Amino acid sequence: MTAPIEHAALGFTHGEGIRLVRADGARFIDAASGTFNVPLGYDNEAVVAPVLDQLARVSHLGSSFSRTESARLVERLVALAPGGMTRGWLRDLTGSTANECAVRIAQKATQKSGVLSLFLSHHGQTLFTTAISGNAFRKESFPVATADVSLKVPAPYCHRCFYGATYPSCGLMCVERIHDFLEFGGNGRTACMIVEPILGNGGNIVPPPGYFEALKRVCDAHDILLVADEVQTGIGRTGHMFACDALGFEPAMVTLAKGLGGIGIPVAAVLMEARLDVLAPYEHSYTSGANPIALAAANATLDVLADGRLLGEVRENGRLLGALLAPLAERHACVGDVRGLGYMWGVEIETPDGAPDPDRTNAILAEAERRRLIVRSSRYGRGNVVKVRPPLVATPDDLVEIVDTLSAAIAATGEAAR
Ligand SMILES: Cc1ncc(COP(=O)(O)O)c(C=O)c1O
């Protein structure tokens, strides 16, 4: 496969809203929101001020000492969470460790071991979350004994259906065949299935209507806990606090990270139903988990989103972003599909015969960067989807500028416009 590009070290000295600024004053629009973890913009005072205040008072407390503050944040999160989630775990730092925490909870609660996940999924960078993620190239150099634990099944990727079928006449084969995978490919003891509501790094793959209802039926039939990995999709990215709400996904657990820190402050959480509150503190607790700075950032982020105004804007402006991006498929022969929700969109780049074109995608990213627009590619999938995910505070004018620049970058990579 084509190696994913590393972005150049552009020498940014500071951030202003949705822009990153170089020492020479050059301003770049960051339409990737950092690493999808700067939803409120780089210098949002509503988060910067409480974080600085916290830093000045006390920068670290062990998670036992910050128990009261953690419990308060959990209360706020579960009040917003989908389904019957009433408990939470905050002794994490990143999305990777939150996903490991969810697996630990599932294993302890069910006394089973297996983890079901999707092709093209990305659940983290630790050895275990790399092993349960749905791509091979990131595992090549790291043998780890998860063969008997990890089972992966095709993703709901209608544009490139694994089964060569078409929705809805496919009858959601990507779900229905999971029964067979479990029976013949699993370890007979599957504890949980972990799913990104929209597969982020795999290519901004939005499942078709009915997918999650059908998936829940399969999981219920096999007594498997459904875990929503909302590390990318959570905290407003889709115009809803949780993407599960928008997509009819009813998980037993949700993992959060990235956007929860508002301006890129690392913080992570697992939310779960009361019956899944099974871990003892020593079973999953990181040195800097639930640290006061992270808690301050998360609380301030929720304060910003609390009145629903920004979420409403993301829903409305997200429709505009979709309407601006859709014509790219008419304008450029290499654009094979445009899909997304809220401020989470993907533009799929293909060769003339419809194959994924990661080289062209990399060229588009480099050209966009030359034009001072930062976008990222689906580097853990086939590498051929340009991900357009501006901070939630991007205005309609910003969106127009982003799409115009992207369109110009696509054209400049050498194709006759349609
Ligand atoms: C869906 C998803 N889950 C988990 C992770 C891992 O999060 P982190 O890098 O914070 O460990 C990522 C990171 O990109 C992600 O996109």
Side-chain angles (χ1 to χ4, degrees), residues 88-165:
W89 196 264
L90 275 174
R91 294 170 181 232
D92 271 296
L93 249 201
T94 73
S96 309
T97 62
N99 283 335
E100 290 211 3
C101 181
V103 171
R104 279 184 158 146
I105 291 171
Q107 290 181 333
K108 188 170 177 189
T110 63
Q111 292 295 295
K112 296 192 283 185
S113 57
V115 181
L116 185 57
S117 54
L118 294 176
F119 289 7
L120 297 162
S121 61
H122 176 64
H123 298 299
Q125 295 287 351
T126 59
L127 268 181
F128 185 77
T129 52
T130 299
I132 62 168
S133 293
N135 44 49
F137 78 97
R138 288 200 308 121
K139 306 184 183 92
E140 273 167 21
S141 312
F142 311 109
V144 59
T146 54
D148 188 43
V149 172
S150 172
L151 173 67
K152 297 168 190 86
V153 296
Y157 191 2
C158 295
H159 185 65
R160 294 185 186 281
C161 176
F162 180 85
Y163 297 106

Side-chain angles (χ1 to χ4, degrees), residues 29-385:
I29 293 188
D30 183 0
S33 302
T35 317
F36 317 122
N37 60 339
V38 188
L40 301 184
Y42 283 95
D43 57 351
N44 197 316
E45 258 309 290
V47 186
V48 171
V51 165
L52 287 179
D53 175 64
Q54 182 61 55
L55 191 56
R57 286 185 294 115
V58 58
S59 56
H60 176 81
L61 288 173
S63 37
S64 305
F65 292 127
S66 60
R67 270 211 305 270
T68 314
E69 292 74 14
S70 305
R72 194 177 140 247
L73 178 57
V74 165
E75 251 171 52
R76 295 188 75 183
L77 286 169
V78 296
L80 300 163
M85 267 161 282
T86 55
R87 305 287 169 82
W89 196 264
L90 275 174
R91 294 170 181 232
D92 271 296
L93 249 201
T94 73
S96 309
T97 62
N99 283 335
E100 290 211 3
C101 181
V103 171
R104 279 184 158 146
I105 291 171
Q107 290 181 333
K108 188 170 177 189
T110 63
Q111 292 295 295
K112 296 192 283 185
S113 57
V115 181
L116 185 57
S117 54
L118 294 176
F119 289 7
L120 297 162
S121 61
H122 176 64
H123 298 299
Q125 295 287 351
T126 59
L127 268 181
F128 185 77
T129 52
T130 299
I132 62 168
S133 293
N135 44 49
F137 78 97
R138 288 200 308 121
K139 306 184 183 92
E140 273 167 21
S141 312
F142 311 109
V144 59
T146 54
D148 188 43
V149 172
S150 172
L151 173 67
K152 297 168 190 86
V153 296
Y157 191 2
C158 295
H159 185 65
R160 294 185 186 281
C161 176
F162 180 85
Y163 297 106
T166 306
Y167 179 84
S169 61
C170 62
L172 284 173
M173 236 187 282
C174 55
V175 179
E176 296 311 325
R177 298 230 167 140
I178 293 176
H179 291 293
D180 285 348
F181 278 98
L182 286 166
E183 190 163 349
F184 303 111
N187 69 359
R189 291 171 285 120
T190 301
C192 65
M193 177 170 194
I194 182 162
V195 184
E196 298 162 75
I198 296 173
L199 281 96
N201 291 341
N204 218 85
I205 299 165
V206 185
Y211 177 79
F212 288 111
E213 289 88 336
L215 196 64
K216 177 115 171 67
R217 280 196 296 275
V218 170
C219 287
D220 285 349
H222 295 268
D223 202 16
I224 291 171
L225 294 168
L226 253 178
V227 181
D229 175 346
E230 291 238 30
V231 167
Q232 274 199 36
T233 54
I235 314 296
R237 176 60 40 200
T238 63
H240 301 261
M241 193 61 87
F242 295 83
C244 288
D245 283 333
L247 298 173
F249 185 178
E250 284 181 30
M253 272 186 272
V254 169
T255 59
L256 294 169
K258 293 194 188 280
L260 185 56
I263 56 171
I265 305 290
V267 53
V270 182
L271 308 180
M272 63 270 190
E273 296 172 356
R275 68 184 163 120
L276 299 175
D277 193 3
V278 293
L279 293 186
Y282 60 85
E283 288 179 319
H284 189 91
S285 187
Y286 289 85
T287 299
S288 302
N291 78 76
I293 297 163
L295 296 178
N299 274 310
T301 301
L302 294 185
D303 288 344
V304 172
L305 294 170
D307 65 6
R309 188 190 50 81
L310 187 56
L311 292 177
E313 283 175 13
V314 173
R315 286 197 295 276
E316 190 175 330
N317 297 341
R319 283 189 284 276
L320 169 68
L321 181 55
L324 291 167
L325 287 169
L328 297 187
E330 306 300 320
R331 213 175 298 148
H332 305 285
C334 68
V335 174
D337 195 26
V338 173
R339 50 182 179 257
L341 191 64
Y343 275 16
M344 185 166 183
W345 286 80
V347 177
E348 179 142 356
I349 307 297
E350 304 177 349
T351 62
D353 59 2
D357 195 344
D359 292 330
R360 179 77 181 269
T361 310
N362 284 348
I364 291 167
L365 260 56
E367 185 59 35
E369 208 165 88
R370 222 177 51 74
R371 293 161 188 267
R372 300 185 179 171
L373 171 70
I374 299 168
V375 278
R376 284 180 169 254
S377 69
S378 55
R379 47 194 288 161
Y380 296 156
R382 295 180 197 277
N384 72 316
V385 177

